[in-house]
């Protein structure tokens, strides 16, 4: 994630919108209806009720959506809903890099492909790198093993 560099006011960039939690889907529909290109990555989950199960799509990032527009159109978003805001860092609007957009677009497809994690004895604090799949090249630290000891 970077901050908006000095560029043409009409060059579209992907910005991060902060949305009231629970209204991500409705707000995304409203923004699309207003002519904006909006991305809302979702994950499929199973909700259980006492009498049934249902597969639902929940936003992957609660309270956030992604919108592609030029600097000249940024204020138009507030005509859809005045409660929206842009994620900012040091006073500047945050934008996404091309590889981050590609990953979010992949995640937005709602694929049900399983991701298999193979590991030996990885303990907390071990540095890992993803070698295959949608997160190829991502690096991180193991926070826990996922099992109770």
């Amino acid at each position: 994630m970077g901050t908006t560099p000095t560029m043409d006011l009409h060059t579209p960039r992907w910005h991060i919108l902060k949305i009231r939690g629970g209204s991500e889907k409705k707000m995304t529909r409203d923004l699309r209806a207003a002519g904006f290109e909006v991305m809302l990555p979702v994950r499929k989950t199973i909700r259980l009720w006492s009498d049934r199960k249902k597969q639902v799509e929940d936003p992957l990032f609660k309270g956030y959506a992604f919108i592609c527009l030029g600097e000249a159109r940024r204020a138009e978003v507030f005509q859809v809903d005045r409660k929206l805001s842009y994620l900012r860092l040091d006073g500047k609007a945050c934008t996404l890099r091309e590889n981050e957009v590609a990953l979010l677009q992949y995640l937005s497809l709602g694929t049900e492909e399983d991701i298999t994690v193979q590991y030996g004895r990885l303990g907390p604090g071990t540095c890992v790198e993803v070698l295959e799949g949608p997160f190829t090249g991502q690096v991180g630290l193991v926070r826990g093993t996922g099992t109770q000891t």
Side-chain angles (χ1 to χ4, degrees), residues 16 34 37 49 66 74 82 84 128 146:
I16 305 167
E37 182 178 0
W49 284 269
F66 305 90
R74 283 189 58 221
R82 298 191 60 74
L84 293 171
V128 294

Side-chain angles (χ1 to χ4, degrees), residues 15-19 27 31 38 63-67 77-78 84-87:
H15 294 78
I16 305 167
L17 273 180
K18 293 183 351 182
I19 297 173
M27 191 55 56
L31 288 164
V38 184
Y64 295 95
F66 305 90
I67 187 166
V77 169
F78 305 116
L84 293 171
S85 63
Y86 290 98
L87 186 64

Side-chain angles (χ1 to χ4, degrees), residues 44-55:
K44 293 180 181 178
T45 59
I46 302 289
R47 291 275 170 89
L48 300 174
W49 284 269
S50 60
D51 61 337
R52 63 190 159 98
K53 286 195 250 190
K54 183 177 180 181
Q55 184 175 24

Side-chain angles (χ1 to χ4, degrees), residues 123-141:
T126 304
C127 184
V128 294
E129 179 180 3
V130 178
L131 302 176
E132 295 179 34
F135 298 103
T136 300
Q138 296 295 312
V139 177
L141 290 175

